[in-house]
Amino acid sequence: VNSDKPVVFIVDDDRDVRDSLRRLLTSVGLAAEVFDTAQAFLAARRADVPSCLVLDVRLPGLSGLDL
Amino acid sequence: VAVERAQAEEALHQAQAELARVTRVTTLGELTASIAHEVNQPLAAIIADASACLRWLAAERPDLDSIREALDSVVKDAERAAEVIVRIRALLSYSPVTREPCDLVDIVHDVLPLAGPELRRRGIVLETALAPDLPRVIGDRIQLQQVLLNLLVNAGEAMRETRPERRRVVVRSSAECRDGDVWAILAVEDAGAGFRELDEARLFEAFYTTKPGGLGMGLSISRSIVERHGGQLWGTSNPGRGATFHLALPGTR
């Protein structure tokens, strides 16, 4: 992820949806990072706060609302 | 008299096939929300990818690698959505009852895309333990799919009150030798309410239901389908919690 671009984080367990969203965001010049579960997002979260989080509500394990 | 009897039997078979189809429609009706989601997801992905392609194409030097990746994904997602529709149409069709060699593992793979999303929606973990060398059985693929679909929907329903971390369905297949013949067996194991408070003998009766809004036809129709295939359908209580339903059909090896 290029650090000078705003980063959008995507958490969705549907791989097709996740990847297509990533491409859409990339096409408009944003950086995107994808995670398949809320736990993976929490584990990978760094000090910098995402500019935007696209979060699926229904996720295996920890739900989007729980997150 | 023989002719009249044959006509009556034919009429009965037609009525049974039509009743089976009506209960398939009812079962699919229960799955509408999750099936709609299952078609909507790839459609949303297609819209996002197509929009990305349009943006990339508008650039002075289009990023062809990205466009290709997105278009590959569009094709895959369209196929994914179409596959769901094909499976639904097959279950809803008026096609005549057939008797052809079927592989029960194929039946599992036919049904999981329809039942899986509903189980996931209910927070249920779905596991499979499928033996690779099951004997083939003779039967109507659609009706056998119907039986398994019904068992999976019931399993999901039975875990309505189960603690979220315990919600789990396991689909197992196995081969069993009975008096020198090989049978193919599918088992659907849940961790739900089980039979404790139910009259076990009534489970397969028509119009007996524990579901709010249920018709009570699912297990009754399923058992008659399985028996017309020369097989057996029965339920057992699990040692821990929940129940397992077993579908056994004679193999043709």
Side-chain angles (χ1 to χ4, degrees), chain A residues 9-50:
Chain A
F9 289 68
I10 302 164
V11 187
D12 198 311
D13 59 327
D14 189 311
R15 185 181 165 178
D16 296 339
V17 169
R18 204 163 65 219
D19 288 346
S20 62
L21 259 182
R22 175 180 53 75
R23 284 188 290 267
L24 180 62
L25 292 165
T26 311
S27 78
V28 297
L30 297 168
E33 272 192 48
V34 296
F35 303 91
D36 58 354
T37 61
Q39 288 92 332
F41 170 73
L42 286 174
R45 198 173 53 168
R46 304 159 316 187
D48 56 333
V49 176

Side-chain angles (χ1 to χ4, degrees), chain A residues 53-67:
Chain A
L53 175 65
V54 180
L55 179 62
D56 191 9
V57 172
R58 206 177 292 277
L59 288 165
L62 197 61
S63 80
L65 289 177
D66 293 337
L67 177 63

